[in-house]
């Protein structure tokens, strides 16, 4: 792809992410469905011309309530922060490695030993 195509693609991605960040996932879905329909009606395309686009549409459709980023920010929640995204690496490890600790089958710290 040439630089102009890359620039156009990056602009599209940036605009789409801005719409999602503003809580307009339904608008994004509508536009993406229209684009998928246009691609599918192209006689030179394969039967499934845009599997990644179709998967993204399915994901947004299924998780529409999970991408309400505007509402999450208003509530003061972190969105995709490095701290949240990487916490799974550290928090369970720190808890499991407490010196001398044993764990009950129910998942809690067993203080009876």
């Amino acid at each position: 792809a040439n630089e102009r195509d890359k620039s156009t693609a990056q602009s599209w991605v940036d605009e789409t992410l801005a719409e999602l960040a503003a809580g307009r996932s339904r608008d994004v879905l509508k536009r993406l469905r229209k684009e998928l329909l246009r691609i599918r009606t192209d006689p030179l395309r394969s039967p499934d011309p845009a599997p990644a686009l179709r998967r993204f549409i399915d994901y947004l459709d299924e998780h529409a309530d999970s991408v309400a980023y505007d509402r999450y920010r208003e509530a003061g929640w972190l969105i995709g922060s490095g701290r949240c995204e990487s916490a799974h690496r550290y928090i369970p490890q720190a808890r499991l490695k407490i010196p001398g600790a044993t764990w009950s089958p129910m998942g809690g710290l067993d203080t009876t030993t």
Side-chain angles (χ1 to χ4, degrees):
N2 63 36
E3 289 303 313
R4 182 175 177 187
D5 290 342
K6 288 180 185 176
S7 176
T8 300
Q10 187 61 53
S11 293
W12 181 87
V13 168
D14 292 344
E15 290 169 14
T16 301
L17 290 175
E19 280 185 285
L20 290 172
R24 296 194 313 264
S25 63
R26 293 292 170 199
D27 295 340
V28 170
L29 272 170
K30 185 177 177 181
R31 190 177 72 251
L32 294 179
R33 285 186 179 121
K34 191 181 291 187
E35 178 63 15
L36 185 60
L37 183 60
R38 184 193 66 75
I39 292 170
R40 283 186 173 159
T41 58
D42 184 340
L44 301 176
R45 297 284 186 147
S46 65
D48 191 2
L53 178 58
R54 183 180 37 77
R55 283 192 306 272
F56 185 48
I57 290 169
D58 292 346
Y59 177 87
L60 283 179
D61 197 32
E62 184 176 332
H63 297 36
D65 58 333
S66 299
V67 293
Y69 301 123
D70 58 329
R71 291 191 313 227
Y72 301 153
R73 273 194 305 281
E74 286 173 8
W77 297 350
L78 298 174
I79 301 171
S81 74
R83 290 183 296 178
C84 289
E85 296 296 324
S86 65
H88 73 282
R89 289 186 209 122
Y90 306 106
I91 295 171
Q93 291 296 319
R95 291 192 70 206
L96 289 172
K97 294 179 180 179
I98 296 172
T102 58
W103 297 90
S104 76
M106 297 303 290
L109 183 59
D110 185 355
T111 58
T112 61
T113 57

